[in-house]
Each structure stands twice: as C-alpha cells, then as structure tokens.
Amino acid sequence: KSEDFVNFCIDTPLDKLNAILIKTKDEYLKGLDIRKFSETIILLEEEKFSLVFNAFKDILKSSADFRDILEHLNTKQKAVVFESLKGDLHNIIESADDFGCVLEHLNTEQRVEVYESLKGNLHNMIKSSWDFRKVIEHLNTEQKVEVYESLKSNLHNMIKSSRDFSNVIEHLNAEQITVVCEPLKGNSHNIIKSADDFRIVLGFLN
C-alpha cells in the first residue's frame, strides 16, 4: 500500500533509503496507482521526496500521468518533478490534449519553459477548435497572441458548431473575437441550429 510505503520511507534514514529503493522498486511498481502515489508522497520531507520521486519517475509514461502526479503536490515538490522531467516532456507531448495536461498544474515560469520549448510545433498539434482551446487555455496573454496570430486565418474553418465557437473564442480578447467572427457572418445558420446553440453563442458575444 502507498501509505505503508511512505511510512517506511519516513522511518528509514536517508543514507539507507536509496539502496533499499533500488532493490524494491520493481516489486513496488506492480499495480501502482499514480494518483494514490502522489497523494501519499506529499508527506515526505524535501530530500526524501526528491530521492523517492527520482527512483520512481519512470512510471510516468503520458501527459495524464504527469498531470496526476503533480495534482496533490506542494510548490517545492512540483518543482522537483518539473526539473527532473522537463528535458523529456517533448516525448509525452504529442497532441494539444497532452500540452494542456502538462501545463495544468505548473506555475507561470514553468509554463513559459514548456511553451518556449514547443512553440515551433504547436501549429501541428492544433487541428480542431478543441485543440486550440487546450493549447491556449493555460498560456499568458503574450503567448495567446502568438498562437492566435499563427492560426487566425484558419480559425473560422474550425468552427462548425456552437461548441466549436465557444472553444475558439473563450480565451480570446474582444478584438480577436471580432476578427474570428467576421468570416462567419454569412454562415451563422449552420452554427446556430437550436436554442441551446443560440444561448452558447450569445453568451460569448455579450
């Protein structure tokens, strides 16, 4: 159990813990629940947390794993995880959903690092309105502008429904929304097909 493992780590002197982890890691990894692991290792003090995480970091195989391990950690622990894995994040970020997952629990500076390392490839990840939303929702204003500018000529083509409309404009400013809406003026009947569609679109334009 994760609780037993953490209690063992708390009670074991730091100078002995690493050797024990090396011998027992494979057995402990069987059936490991990443969320539960994250919830329990938060109890470790900084040095032991770093030692334990680095011993087990190979369990993180996807962007969802990265998001889940960060969810319950404190700021210093998140920094340990990020610094340990940031050089390999490009291996688990293959889509807009992956990008959003990785950024979700990072701080502003960490998000900047990830964005800067991947911004040249983001346009290849954005194929739909949902992709656009997942990429920009955790970015700062300057980064949102950069992504918007690189895609603005094609954003209206991603909008086939009221949900697409909300995905595209939710994180844009008023001027950007105006630019996106201009090519849609003669096509609104294809986007608004029900009262719910009308409500969604009007809610973003008010």
Side-chain angles (χ1 to χ4, degrees), residues 25-148:
K25 181 176 73 170
D26 290 342
E27 182 65 27
Y28 182 73
L29 283 175
K30 295 176 182 178
L32 180 66
D33 183 301
I34 289 178
R35 282 182 179 270
K36 192 66 176 177
F37 184 64
S38 174
E39 290 172 2
T40 52
I41 61 173
I42 193 174
L43 300 173
L44 297 176
E45 51 86 19
E46 190 171 348
E47 283 188 289
K48 286 187 176 180
F49 174 88
S50 181
L51 183 65
V52 170
F53 173 76
N54 281 293
F56 287 93
K57 67 180 182 179
D58 290 344
I59 65 173
L60 303 183
K61 304 295 186 183
S62 69
S63 61
D65 290 342
F66 183 81
R67 177 198 61 205
D68 291 346
I69 199 74
L70 289 184
E71 184 175 1
H72 300 286
L73 304 183
N74 62 40
T75 301
K76 288 184 177 181
Q77 292 168 337
K78 287 179 181 178
V80 169
V81 173
F82 179 73
E83 289 300 319
S84 177
L85 296 175
K86 67 180 182 180
D88 298 317
L89 288 178
H90 64 280
N91 293 322
I92 63 173
I93 300 177
E94 299 179 347
S95 69
D97 274 328
D98 290 335
F99 185 79
C101 274
V102 167
L103 263 60
E104 185 171 343
H105 297 299
L106 298 180
N107 64 32
T108 301
E109 291 75 18
Q110 292 162 347
R111 288 174 177 176
V112 168
E113 285 196 58
V114 176
Y115 173 78
E116 288 297 325
S117 69
L118 291 168
K119 68 179 182 179
N121 194 42
L122 289 178
H123 66 283
N124 293 323
M125 299 181 191
I126 301 175
K127 305 299 184 184
S128 68
S129 67
W130 177 255
D131 293 339
F132 182 74
R133 175 178 179 167
K134 293 304 292 182
V135 165
I136 72 168
E137 66 180 343
H138 298 302
L139 299 182
N140 63 36
T141 300
E142 180 181 342
Q143 293 163 348
K144 287 177 181 176
V145 169
E146 289 181 352
V147 175
Y148 164 79

Side-chain angles (χ1 to χ4, degrees), residues 5-13 17 43-45 48:
F5 173 75
V6 169
N7 288 332
F8 165 76
C9 291
I10 291 173
D11 294 337
T12 303
L17 184 57
L43 300 173
L44 297 176
E45 51 86 19
K48 286 187 176 180

